[in-house]
Amino acid sequence: MKYIKPKLLIPFGLIIFGFAIFMFSSRNQQTVNFPITSDIVKDNTSAQEIKNINNENLALQLSVPVGLQIGSIGLDLPVQKGYYNKNTQQWNISTNSTFWSVMTSKPNNIEGVTFIYGHNRSSLFSNLGEMKEGSIATIITEDGKVHNYRLKYNFTTNPEDSSILNYQGPPILALQTCSGATFQNRTIYVFEYIGNQNA
């Protein structure tokens, strides 16, 4: 029987241990497609009633989001325009701001998803996981309006899952950040629209 030197066992053991931790954390991350659910419909408003609203009214109240606040976790952040580069297949992103995907809806009370993303950093979205169902998020738009949303649920998916960008239905806010032991996943927090006011 061949004798294995103790010095070789330590690196080999560390590799096995690291792989086990990675597999365990990956197994615990639930990966699903965006769950389009009917419970996003605002209380006392049917989906059909929302569809029947004259879309000309929608154009009158659209404005770019410039700020995001979530009081329950002390979050108050700027929002910039987010663009997807087809050549690099990447979104623009920074360490001091969140970004609104310009291909999604501006905040409104009629339809569509307002999609905002940001890094999982202490200065940005690392504490989104501390929110509880019912937490209120506020979007401030360029025209001075304040749009309020209530957290319904969150889910974790993979970076290639872009199904939420194709959402059609009552107005929602979706906040996305990286998650997982090696930031290999994306967690998305879905809020329902509950009203707006002038700032």
Side-chain angles (χ1 to χ4, degrees):
M1 183 175 185
K2 208 167 187 181
Y3 176 71
I4 300 175
K5 293 182 181 178
K7 287 183 180 178
L8 294 176
L9 288 176
I10 293 173
F12 183 71
L14 289 173
I15 290 170
I16 296 293
F17 181 70
F19 181 74
I21 288 176
F22 174 76
M23 292 302 292
F24 179 77
S25 64
S26 297
R27 187 188 58 162
N28 284 333
Q29 291 291 337
Q30 181 186 13
T31 301
V32 295
N33 286 325
F34 175 53
I36 307 293
T37 60
S38 59
D39 66 352
I40 290 299
V41 177
K42 186 179 170 188
D43 294 344
N44 303 320
T45 306
S46 70
Q48 190 58 45
E49 286 172 327
I50 291 171
K51 287 180 183 176
N52 289 340
I53 296 174
N54 189 332
N55 281 338
E56 289 179 10
N57 295 332
L58 179 62
L60 297 175
Q61 55 187 317
L62 295 184
S63 184
V64 174
V66 294
L68 167 65
Q69 299 173 348
I70 304 176
S72 63
I73 57 172
L75 187 144
D76 188 354
L77 296 169
V79 179
Q80 297 181 43
K81 291 180 181 177
Y83 299 93
Y84 181 73
N85 185 320
K86 288 184 179 178
N87 295 326
T88 63
Q89 297 185 342
Q90 292 183 339
W91 293 86
N92 61 312
I93 195 163
S94 79
T95 57
N96 56 13
S97 180
T98 61
F99 291 83
W100 161 66
S101 167
V102 298
M103 68 176 64
T104 65
S105 298
K106 296 172 185 173
N108 71 86
N109 63 352
I110 297 175
E111 62 184 2
V113 56
T114 300
F115 181 79
I116 295 177
Y117 62 94
H119 274 306
N120 185 345
R121 298 173 62 95
S122 58
S123 58
L124 294 171
F125 276 173
S126 67
N127 57 351
L128 289 184
E130 297 173 15
M131 293 187 297
K132 296 185 173 20
E133 183 178 344
S135 291
I136 303 299
T138 298
I139 298 291
I140 297 94
T141 53
E142 207 169 38
D143 64 355
K145 279 204 172 58
V146 174
H147 298 263
N148 296 310
Y149 298 82
R150 179 169 50 224
L151 180 64
K152 292 294 287 185
Y153 60 91
N154 67 77
F155 65 98
T156 298
T157 187
N158 60 70
E160 291 75 35
D161 181 5
S162 61
S163 56
I164 193 166
L165 300 178
N166 302 317
Y167 169 83
Q168 293 181 348
I172 61 172
L173 168 66
L175 304 181
Q176 176 182 286
T177 194
C178 300
S179 60
T182 57
F183 301 109
Q184 74 275 21
N185 296 321
R186 303 292 179 267
T187 297
I188 299 175
Y189 299 83
V190 180
F191 298 73
E192 64 179 342
Y193 190 87
I194 58 173
N196 70 68
Q197 62 197 69
N198 290 326

PDB file of all heavy atoms in Angstrom, residues 93-111:
ATOM      1  N   ILE A  93     -23.687  49.415 -14.914  1.00  0.00           N
ATOM      2  CA  ILE A  93     -23.882  49.298 -13.462  1.00  0.00           C
ATOM      3  C   ILE A  93     -22.749  50.034 -12.759  1.00  0.00           C
ATOM      4  O   ILE A  93     -21.670  50.223 -13.337  1.00  0.00           O
ATOM      5  CB  ILE A  93     -23.935  47.808 -13.031  1.00  0.00           C
ATOM      6  CG1 ILE A  93     -24.507  47.669 -11.622  1.00  0.00           C
ATOM      7  CG2 ILE A  93     -22.576  47.134 -13.181  1.00  0.00           C
ATOM      8  CD1 ILE A  93     -24.977  46.263 -11.286  1.00  0.00           C
ATOM      9  N   SER A  94     -22.976  50.493 -11.535  1.00  0.00           N
ATOM     10  CA  SER A  94     -21.932  51.159 -10.766  1.00  0.00           C
ATOM     11  C   SER A  94     -22.074  50.796  -9.293  1.00  0.00           C
ATOM     12  O   SER A  94     -23.049  50.152  -8.903  1.00  0.00           O
ATOM     13  CB  SER A  94     -22.008  52.685 -10.940  1.00  0.00           C
ATOM     14  OG  SER A  94     -23.031  53.220 -10.127  1.00  0.00           O
ATOM     15  N   THR A  95     -21.120  51.243  -8.500  1.00  0.00           N
ATOM     16  CA  THR A  95     -21.127  50.909  -7.081  1.00  0.00           C
ATOM     17  C   THR A  95     -21.814  51.971  -6.223  1.00  0.00           C
ATOM     18  O   THR A  95     -21.847  51.857  -5.004  1.00  0.00           O
ATOM     19  CB  THR A  95     -19.679  50.736  -6.568  1.00  0.00           C
ATOM     20  OG1 THR A  95     -18.955  51.946  -6.832  1.00  0.00           O
ATOM     21  CG2 THR A  95     -19.001  49.569  -7.260  1.00  0.00           C
ATOM     22  N   ASN A  96     -22.379  53.011  -6.857  1.00  0.00           N
ATOM     23  CA  ASN A  96     -23.000  54.065  -6.042  1.00  0.00           C
ATOM     24  C   ASN A  96     -24.413  54.437  -6.493  1.00  0.00           C
ATOM     25  O   ASN A  96     -24.941  55.462  -6.084  1.00  0.00           O
ATOM     26  CB  ASN A  96     -22.121  55.318  -6.021  1.00  0.00           C
ATOM     27  CG  ASN A  96     -21.825  55.831  -7.421  1.00  0.00           C
ATOM     28  OD1 ASN A  96     -22.446  55.428  -8.396  1.00  0.00           O
ATOM     29  ND2 ASN A  96     -20.850  56.719  -7.508  1.00  0.00           N
ATOM     30  N   SER A  97     -25.025  53.607  -7.335  1.00  0.00           N
ATOM     31  CA  SER A  97     -26.373  53.919  -7.791  1.00  0.00           C
ATOM     32  C   SER A  97     -27.108  52.643  -8.184  1.00  0.00           C
ATOM     33  O   SER A  97     -26.490  51.611  -8.473  1.00  0.00           O
ATOM     34  CB  SER A  97     -26.321  54.868  -8.996  1.00  0.00           C
ATOM     35  OG  SER A  97     -27.629  55.170  -9.451  1.00  0.00           O
ATOM     36  N   THR A  98     -28.433  52.739  -8.194  1.00  0.00           N
ATOM     37  CA  THR A  98     -29.251  51.684  -8.775  1.00  0.00           C
ATOM     38  C   THR A  98     -29.616  52.126 -10.191  1.00  0.00           C
ATOM     39  O   THR A  98     -29.404  53.282 -10.563  1.00  0.00           O
ATOM     40  CB  THR A  98     -30.530  51.451  -7.955  1.00  0.00           C
ATOM     41  OG1 THR A  98     -31.308  52.657  -7.957  1.00  0.00           O
ATOM     42  CG2 THR A  98     -30.190  51.063  -6.525  1.00  0.00           C
ATOM     43  N   PHE A  99     -30.186  51.206 -10.971  1.00  0.00           N
ATOM     44  CA  PHE A  99     -30.483  51.510 -12.366  1.00  0.00           C
ATOM     45  C   PHE A  99     -31.868  51.003 -12.754  1.00  0.00           C
ATOM     46  O   PHE A  99     -32.243  49.883 -12.423  1.00  0.00           O
ATOM     47  CB  PHE A  99     -29.432  50.876 -13.287  1.00  0.00           C
ATOM     48  CG  PHE A  99     -28.087  51.526 -13.170  1.00  0.00           C
ATOM     49  CD1 PHE A  99     -27.219  51.156 -12.151  1.00  0.00           C
ATOM     50  CD2 PHE A  99     -27.694  52.519 -14.045  1.00  0.00           C
ATOM     51  CE1 PHE A  99     -25.979  51.759 -12.024  1.00  0.00           C
ATOM     52  CE2 PHE A  99     -26.453  53.125 -13.924  1.00  0.00           C
ATOM     53  CZ  PHE A  99     -25.596  52.752 -12.918  1.00  0.00           C
ATOM     54  N   TRP A 100     -32.594  51.851 -13.469  1.00  0.00           N
ATOM     55  CA  TRP A 100     -33.895  51.480 -14.022  1.00  0.00           C
ATOM     56  C   TRP A 100     -33.684  51.032 -15.462  1.00  0.00           C
ATOM     57  O   TRP A 100     -33.122  51.758 -16.268  1.00  0.00           O
ATOM     58  CB  TRP A 100     -34.848  52.673 -13.969  1.00  0.00           C
ATOM     59  CG  TRP A 100     -36.019  52.548 -14.901  1.00  0.00           C
ATOM     60  CD1 TRP A 100     -37.033  51.636 -14.822  1.00  0.00           C
ATOM     61  CD2 TRP A 100     -36.288  53.352 -16.053  1.00  0.00           C
ATOM     62  NE1 TRP A 100     -37.921  51.823 -15.862  1.00  0.00           N
ATOM     63  CE2 TRP A 100     -37.485  52.868 -16.632  1.00  0.00           C
ATOM     64  CE3 TRP A 100     -35.637  54.431 -16.655  1.00  0.00           C
ATOM     65  CZ2 TRP A 100     -38.036  53.423 -17.786  1.00  0.00           C
ATOM     66  CZ3 TRP A 100     -36.179  54.983 -17.807  1.00  0.00           C
ATOM     67  CH2 TRP A 100     -37.364  54.487 -18.348  1.00  0.00           C
ATOM     68  N   SER A 101     -34.116  49.824 -15.791  1.00  0.00           N
ATOM     69  CA  SER A 101     -34.000  49.314 -17.147  1.00  0.00           C
ATOM     70  C   SER A 101     -34.928  50.101 -18.060  1.00  0.00           C
ATOM     71  O   SER A 101     -36.151  50.047 -17.906  1.00  0.00           O
ATOM     72  CB  SER A 101     -34.362  47.827 -17.195  1.00  0.00           C
ATOM     73  OG  SER A 101     -34.534  47.411 -18.531  1.00  0.00           O
ATOM     74  N   VAL A 102     -34.350  50.827 -19.017  1.00  0.00           N
ATOM     75  CA  VAL A 102     -35.145  51.696 -19.888  1.00  0.00           C
ATOM     76  C   VAL A 102     -36.079  50.911 -20.800  1.00  0.00           C
ATOM     77  O   VAL A 102     -36.976  51.489 -21.403  1.00  0.00           O
ATOM     78  CB  VAL A 102     -34.246  52.623 -20.739  1.00  0.00           C
ATOM     79  CG1 VAL A 102     -33.441  53.548 -19.847  1.00  0.00           C
ATOM     80  CG2 VAL A 102     -33.329  51.814 -21.650  1.00  0.00           C
ATOM     81  N   MET A 103     -35.885  49.594 -20.919  1.00  0.00           N
ATOM     82  CA  MET A 103     -36.784  48.796 -21.739  1.00  0.00           C
ATOM     83  C   MET A 103     -38.048  48.393 -20.976  1.00  0.00           C
ATOM     84  O   MET A 103     -38.934  47.757 -21.529  1.00  0.00           O
ATOM     85  CB  MET A 103     -36.059  47.554 -22.282  1.00  0.00           C
ATOM     86  CG  MET A 103     -35.681  46.538 -21.236  1.00  0.00           C
ATOM     87  SD  MET A 103     -34.947  45.041 -21.946  1.00  0.00           S
ATOM     88  CE  MET A 103     -33.457  45.668 -22.665  1.00  0.00           C
ATOM     89  N   THR A 104     -38.134  48.771 -19.697  1.00  0.00           N
ATOM     90  CA  THR A 104     -39.326  48.450 -18.919  1.00  0.00           C
ATOM     91  C   THR A 104     -40.138  49.715 -18.658  1.00  0.00           C
ATOM     92  O   THR A 104     -39.718  50.820 -18.999  1.00  0.00           O
ATOM     93  CB  THR A 104     -38.958  47.762 -17.591  1.00  0.00           C
ATOM     94  OG1 THR A 104     -38.217  48.678 -16.764  1.00  0.00           O
ATOM     95  CG2 THR A 104     -38.122  46.510 -17.834  1.00  0.00           C
ATOM     96  N   SER A 105     -41.297  49.549 -18.045  1.00  0.00           N
ATOM     97  CA  SER A 105     -42.226  50.663 -17.847  1.00  0.00           C
ATOM     98  C   SER A 105     -41.702  51.703 -16.865  1.00  0.00           C
ATOM     99  O   SER A 105     -41.066  51.362 -15.875  1.00  0.00           O
ATOM    100  CB  SER A 105     -43.562  50.135 -17.322  1.00  0.00           C
ATOM    101  OG  SER A 105     -44.153  49.268 -18.248  1.00  0.00           O
ATOM    102  N   LYS A 106     -42.012  52.957 -17.165  1.00  0.00           N
ATOM    103  CA  LYS A 106     -41.825  53.996 -16.164  1.00  0.00           C
ATOM    104  C   LYS A 106     -42.920  53.803 -15.121  1.00  0.00           C
ATOM    105  O   LYS A 106     -43.967  53.223 -15.428  1.00  0.00           O
ATOM    106  CB  LYS A 106     -41.942  55.373 -16.818  1.00  0.00           C
ATOM    107  CG  LYS A 106     -40.847  55.648 -17.836  1.00  0.00           C
ATOM    108  CD  LYS A 106     -41.110  56.923 -18.602  1.00  0.00           C
ATOM    109  CE  LYS A 106     -40.081  57.120 -19.697  1.00  0.00           C
ATOM    110  NZ  LYS A 106     -40.393  58.257 -20.568  1.00  0.00           N
ATOM    111  N   PRO A 107     -42.704  54.238 -13.866  1.00  0.00           N
ATOM    112  CA  PRO A 107     -43.740  54.052 -12.838  1.00  0.00           C
ATOM    113  C   PRO A 107     -45.079  54.618 -13.296  1.00  0.00           C
ATOM    114  O   PRO A 107     -45.153  55.723 -13.815  1.00  0.00           O
ATOM    115  CB  PRO A 107     -43.192  54.838 -11.645  1.00  0.00           C
ATOM    116  CG  PRO A 107     -41.712  54.828 -11.852  1.00  0.00           C
ATOM    117  CD  PRO A 107     -41.513  54.911 -13.333  1.00  0.00           C
ATOM    118  N   ASN A 108     -46.141  53.827 -13.122  1.00  0.00           N
ATOM    119  CA  ASN A 108     -47.480  54.248 -13.515  1.00  0.00           C
ATOM    120  C   ASN A 108     -48.509  53.393 -12.792  1.00  0.00           C
ATOM    121  O   ASN A 108     -48.169  52.379 -12.173  1.00  0.00           O
ATOM    122  CB  ASN A 108     -47.653  54.136 -15.032  1.00  0.00           C
ATOM    123  CG  ASN A 108     -47.732  52.695 -15.504  1.00  0.00           C
ATOM    124  OD1 ASN A 108     -48.784  52.084 -15.527  1.00  0.00           O
ATOM    125  ND2 ASN A 108     -46.575  52.139 -15.874  1.00  0.00           N
ATOM    126  N   ASN A 109     -49.767  53.784 -12.862  1.00  0.00           N
ATOM    127  CA  ASN A 109     -50.816  53.070 -12.144  1.00  0.00           C
ATOM    128  C   ASN A 109     -51.692  52.225 -13.065  1.00  0.00           C
ATOM    129  O   ASN A 109     -52.804  51.852 -12.707  1.00  0.00           O
ATOM    130  CB  ASN A 109     -51.703  54.055 -11.369  1.00  0.00           C
ATOM    131  CG  ASN A 109     -52.425  55.017 -12.296  1.00  0.00           C
ATOM    132  OD1 ASN A 109     -52.154  55.058 -13.494  1.00  0.00           O
ATOM    133  ND2 ASN A 109     -53.316  55.807 -11.734  1.00  0.00           N
ATOM    134  N   ILE A 110     -51.158  51.892 -14.256  1.00  0.00           N
ATOM    135  CA  ILE A 110     -51.984  51.163 -15.208  1.00  0.00           C
ATOM    136  C   ILE A 110     -51.440  49.770 -15.522  1.00  0.00           C
ATOM    137  O   ILE A 110     -52.146  48.779 -15.372  1.00  0.00           O
ATOM    138  CB  ILE A 110     -52.157  51.983 -16.509  1.00  0.00           C
ATOM    139  CG1 ILE A 110     -52.890  53.288 -16.170  1.00  0.00           C
ATOM    140  CG2 ILE A 110     -52.944  51.201 -17.560  1.00  0.00           C
ATOM    141  CD1 ILE A 110     -53.015  54.249 -17.322  1.00  0.00           C
ATOM    142  N   GLU A 111     -50.179  49.672 -15.964  1.00  0.00           N
ATOM    143  CA  GLU A 111     -49.686  48.348 -16.347  1.00  0.00           C
ATOM    144  C   GLU A 111     -48.168  48.315 -16.437  1.00  0.00           C
ATOM    145  O   GLU A 111     -47.496  49.348 -16.462  1.00  0.00           O
ATOM    146  CB  GLU A 111     -50.268  47.943 -17.707  1.00  0.00           C
ATOM    147  CG  GLU A 111     -49.857  48.876 -18.831  1.00  0.00           C
ATOM    148  CD  GLU A 111     -50.502  48.523 -20.160  1.00  0.00           C
ATOM    149  OE1 GLU A 111     -51.295  47.572 -20.197  1.00  0.00           O
ATOM    150  OE2 GLU A 111     -50.205  49.214 -21.145  1.00  0.00           O
TER     151      GLU A 111
END
